[in-house]
Amino acid sequence: ILQVVVAVLLDNFTAGTQQQDLAEALIRQKRNRTVTHPLDPILHSIYSSYDTDVDLQHRIKTIFQKLDSDAQGTLTYNKMREGFRRLAVTPAVHLSHDDYDLIMEQAALGEDVHELTEEQFQTLMVEQVEDYVTRIVSDAVVVLQGASAEKTALLHAFKIMIMEKVDAEERHDAKAAE
């Protein structure tokens, strides 16, 4: 029976060591992660705190109201740039004009859009949160490649579900445009 106890203890020790290595890898990744998108600090704040779609919409509306400094109901590049700087996120958001143009292009609003309504901002930010989640899952898949097959498979499944959702939305938008 002593051999069985030793084998179980050794197995638990090995599993614990793997968990600790994985936790350390995640901490290193988080520490070394650079901001890959100008809105990442805001997206992280939104992503880590909302519970439902209604809550997400409410949080985005609150951000819109904070950015809309003159309460005109629209956001320009300058309002967004200055408003994002004022938000209490770390690191601070620095939105360049090129970043703004790229975000507008990704949201299929085009570079010539000079003002966003609250509805357009809602749509844009929901898409940005979805992109952020996709990046987070992709990063986690890379870090967890040495982890258990179940965890890796779960993250791959999440990634596939996200990509299928994006593909379905793109097909829907293409049909609506026809």
Side-chain angles (χ1 to χ4, degrees):
I1 193 153
L2 181 61
Q3 292 173 340
V4 172
V5 170
V6 170
V8 169
L9 288 174
L10 185 59
D11 186 50
N12 287 343
F13 175 75
T14 304
T17 303
Q18 288 175 340
Q19 286 294 98
Q20 184 177 358
D21 290 346
L22 182 59
E24 289 172 1
L26 287 170
I27 290 169
R28 277 192 309 278
Q29 179 196 21
K30 189 173 185 177
R31 193 176 320 131
N32 295 333
R33 183 182 170 101
T34 58
V35 175
T36 58
H37 189 280
L39 299 182
D40 275 0
I42 293 168
L43 299 173
H44 176 74
S45 173
I46 294 169
Y47 159 75
S48 61
S49 62
Y50 85 94
D51 296 323
T52 64
D53 287 344
V54 172
D55 186 30
L56 174 62
Q57 291 171 356
H58 175 72
R59 289 175 190 279
I60 293 172
K61 180 178 183 159
T62 300
I63 292 170
F64 180 88
Q65 291 168 342
K66 288 179 180 179
L67 299 179
D68 185 17
S69 56
D70 60 4
Q72 294 295 314
T74 59
L75 296 178
T76 62
Y77 162 70
N78 287 329
K79 281 185 180 178
M80 288 176 68
R81 182 177 50 101
E82 294 303 318
F84 283 142
R85 283 185 187 164
R86 287 191 310 269
L87 292 179
V89 293
T90 304
V93 174
H94 300 285
L95 185 68
S96 72
H97 208 287
D98 288 341
D99 293 332
Y100 175 82
D101 289 343
L102 182 62
I103 291 167
M104 294 303 114
E105 186 177 314
Q106 288 172 339
L109 295 172
E111 288 185 29
D112 58 337
V113 173
H114 300 291
E115 290 186 338
L116 289 175
T117 64
E118 183 178 337
E119 182 179 327
Q120 289 171 317
F121 185 74
Q122 278 278 348
T123 301
L124 177 140
M125 291 302 289
V126 167
E127 289 175 7
Q128 292 296 317
V129 169
E130 289 173 352
D131 289 347
Y132 178 76
V133 170
T134 302
R135 290 194 307 273
I136 295 298
V137 169
S138 294
D139 289 350
V141 167
V142 170
V143 169
L144 292 175
Q145 284 180 346
S148 70
E150 294 85 14
K151 289 178 183 174
T152 304
L154 183 61
L155 285 173
H156 280 291
F158 282 143
K159 186 175 179 180
I160 289 168
M161 289 171 35
I162 291 168
M163 298 310 292
E164 286 180 358
K165 181 180 184 294
V166 169
D167 289 344
E169 288 173 351
E170 288 174 354
R171 286 191 303 273
H172 180 275
D173 291 345
K175 282 184 180 180
E178 290 177 356

